[in-house]
Amino acid sequence: MAEFTMELNDEQKEVRDWLHGFAADVIRPAAAEWDEREETPWPVIQEAAKVGIYSLDFYAQQYFDPTGLGIPMTMEELFWGDAGIALSIVGTGLAAVGVLANGTEEQIGTWIPQMYGDTKDVRVAAFCSSEPDAGSDVASMRTRAVYDEAKDEWVINGTKTWATNGGIAGVHVVVAVVDPELGSKGHASFIVPPGTRGLSQGQKFKKHGIRASHTAEVILDGVRVPGSCLLGGKEKLDARLARAREKARKGGERVKNAAMATFEASRPAVGAMAVGTARAAYEVALDYARTREQFGRPIIDNQGVAFQLADMRTSIDAARLLVWRASWMAVNGKPFTAAEGSMSKLFASETAKKVTAQAVQILGGNGYTREYPVERMHRDSAIYTIFEGTSEIQRLVIARTLSGMPIR
């Protein structure tokens, strides 16, 4: 087990600097254009693939970094560049984590490489969990998967929403209800392979922020997938459902479902995204405060501005500490006994909203225009308190963990 440390080793520093260079030289110059276009920045994703950032090998190396800092370091640097473009680059990772968290070794080896494609044929993947009437309330999910034993196929019907890369992805990972009586315990995850009949894109959303990232509904109308596309396999699913039914009879409630397993694994990474956006806005505000003069002196000489910057930097560093601790715990098998993963996501996401708002304020009228990037960063930051569990849900998870009550 790696010891927890806040000091990156030489190899990690080299990777961090490489990522920072890509974010500064490729992502940032393209950020305003793709935000205005509200389209997937395929040229930037292709550039990321060419240099090795958008690849299974790179993310596997970071995912299995024994210190746990590979993924948060990667997320912070890319999202420092731009949140919308960065989410287009890393969005496939959520689907990949869904397979890693629930799939067999064969499924992992078969499907994750197909999610990324290669430098000549770049692809993206989508994780589909939320529904029009089931966001935070996963127990209200209505998408159904029914097993056709005669054909060894699962038939999936329903509508998913808020799916990053939904409809434009090759591989879709879909969470569906297999046993309605068990509520959220009766869910399972399925691979929907490229070109499967019955899967189509619904509404594409025009968003407040992260506009370079494609977000859409996914319609599943009589989608049939082979039995081998059930993540984890049917034997494992049957055993899990049997345990859930037994616990339900005895009054037990603590059974982890497929969607929650994915979100638990990814929450510190979302916190790192928020840290990257907050840091970017802070740096713009700091540079502006040092150079902008009013009443014959730089505005950073005014205590009101200087204290804001001090608070911004303190909050960012505290958020990073929580994210790195949770990431280290996760990779080293330390249980989140106090919901440390949710703590990191909660604090970092709220920090990003506050820091970007303060950056706009420090820039004054300039900060409110699109001539300066803090306006876009402020719009982007709102998503961190919403997706993969709202701030309210994070507080609920933390509170119930501390109280010993079941998380419903």
Side-chain angles (χ1 to χ4, degrees), residues 64-81:
F64 292 109
D65 179 345
T67 70
L69 303 185
I71 289 294
M73 177 186 68
T74 297
M75 296 301 173
E76 180 176 338
E77 292 304 328
L78 294 179
F79 281 74
W80 172 90

Side-chain angles (χ1 to χ4, degrees), residues 190-238:
F190 299 85
I191 292 286
V192 180
T196 300
R197 292 179 59 182
L199 185 147
S200 61
Q201 179 182 309
Q203 175 187 5
K204 178 186 174 183
F205 296 103
K206 296 181 74 66
K207 305 187 297 297
H208 175 65
I210 55 167
R211 302 197 304 194
S213 174
H214 176 96
T215 310
E217 290 181 328
V218 174
I219 312 300
L220 301 121
D221 184 9
V223 169
R224 284 182 169 268
V225 298
S228 60
C229 287
L230 166 64
L231 289 180
K234 194 166 187 306
E235 183 177 343
K236 183 178 178 181
L237 172 65
D238 289 342

Side-chain angles (χ1 to χ4, degrees), residues 182 185 235-250 252-256:
L182 292 175
K185 285 61 170 191
E235 183 177 343
K236 183 178 178 181
L237 172 65
D238 289 342
R240 178 167 62 81
L241 294 178
R243 290 195 302 271
R245 294 186 190 105
E246 182 63 23
K247 286 181 179 290
R249 283 193 292 269
K250 294 180 178 179
E253 299 186 54
R254 297 297 297 273
V255 180
K256 188 181 295 184

Side-chain angles (χ1 to χ4, degrees), residues 49-96:
K50 286 179 183 178
V51 301
I53 292 175
Y54 186 76
S55 71
L56 171 60
D57 288 345
F58 173 72
Y59 284 103
Q61 289 174 14
Q62 304 316 309
Y63 187 85
F64 292 109
D65 179 345
T67 70
L69 303 185
I71 289 294
M73 177 186 68
T74 297
M75 296 301 173
E76 180 176 338
E77 292 304 328
L78 294 179
F79 281 74
W80 172 90
D82 176 69
I85 291 178
L87 189 57
S88 290
I89 293 173
V90 308
T92 294
L94 184 57

Side-chain angles (χ1 to χ4, degrees), residues 132-151:
D133 296 319
S136 298
D137 183 11
V138 294
S140 297
M141 191 177 294
R142 296 179 180 177
T143 297
R144 287 293 310 276
V146 178
Y147 185 56
D148 184 343
E149 189 171 0
K151 295 184 178 181

